[in-house]
Amino acid sequence: MIARAVGVCAESVRRWRRVWEEGGVSALRRRASTGRPPKLGDAQVETVRAALARGAQAHGFEADLWTLERVGAVVEQVTGVSLSRVSVWRLLTGRLGWSLQRPERRAVERDESEIARWIAHEWPRIKRGP
């Protein structure tokens, strides 16, 4: 009945009761997550944020485009910490709030006015036929 009222399974209620009987109310409080601490501290993350804000070309890359490998190289350069590609991704998306953005593929030689002219004049002629 309690499980249904709270919206959990009965096993959760039994586990909570066992924890409460063994350690009281304080044992039911949420604890900090466990696991390996991050390789970069908050100050180092801010240093990385500032370095990335300067752009990829400021770090010697030909194009101003960030890749995981490039970000990893900059992280190692400014902090001395080497991160895997997965760790770089977690840093960018989790701690820095970045998202994946792919560059738009468009021909450099593209001439919008010539395209508009072709659509207006040539396409109707071709569509009609000879």
Side-chain angles (χ1 to χ4, degrees), residues 13-41:
V13 174
R14 286 192 288 273
R15 187 179 65 245
W16 294 340
R17 181 174 179 182
R18 189 174 55 251
V19 169
W20 175 72
E21 287 173 347
E22 292 171 2
V25 175
S26 62
L28 291 172
R29 294 195 200 294
R30 183 177 293 216
R31 287 177 234 123
S33 63
T34 59
R36 183 178 186 155
K39 285 185 172 183
L40 298 177

Side-chain angles (χ1 to χ4, degrees), residues 12 20 23 36 44 59 69 77 84 86 88 94-95 126 130:
S12 293
W20 175 72
R36 183 178 186 155
Q44 289 173 308
H59 295 281
E69 289 79 12
Q77 179 185 4
S84 68
V86 172
V88 170
R95 296 182 78 184
I126 294 170

Side-chain angles (χ1 to χ4, degrees), residues 42-127:
D42 292 339
Q44 289 173 308
V45 170
E46 289 309 312
T47 302
V48 170
R49 183 188 308 274
L52 296 178
R54 293 192 349 238
Q57 289 178 324
H59 295 281
F61 298 108
E62 190 173 310
D64 209 16
L65 177 72
W66 287 116
T67 64
L68 293 178
E69 289 79 12
R70 288 180 176 187
V71 173
V74 171
V75 168
E76 190 166 1
Q77 179 185 4
V78 298
T79 66
V81 177
S82 177
L83 297 177
S84 68
R85 290 185 64 186
V86 172
S87 294
V88 170
W89 176 254
R90 287 185 187 136
L91 169 69
L92 289 174
T93 59
R95 296 182 78 184
L96 295 177
W98 286 28
S99 63
L100 174 65
Q101 305 206 352
R102 296 180 189 231
E104 189 175 306
R105 299 222 181 258
R106 179 174 275 194
V108 176
E109 306 86 14
R110 186 177 171 107
D111 183 353
E112 296 296 334
S113 62
E114 179 60 23
I115 293 171
R117 187 203 63 75
W118 188 89
I119 291 173
H121 300 293
E122 300 298 324
W123 176 241
R125 183 181 60 76
I126 294 170
K127 191 174 177 183

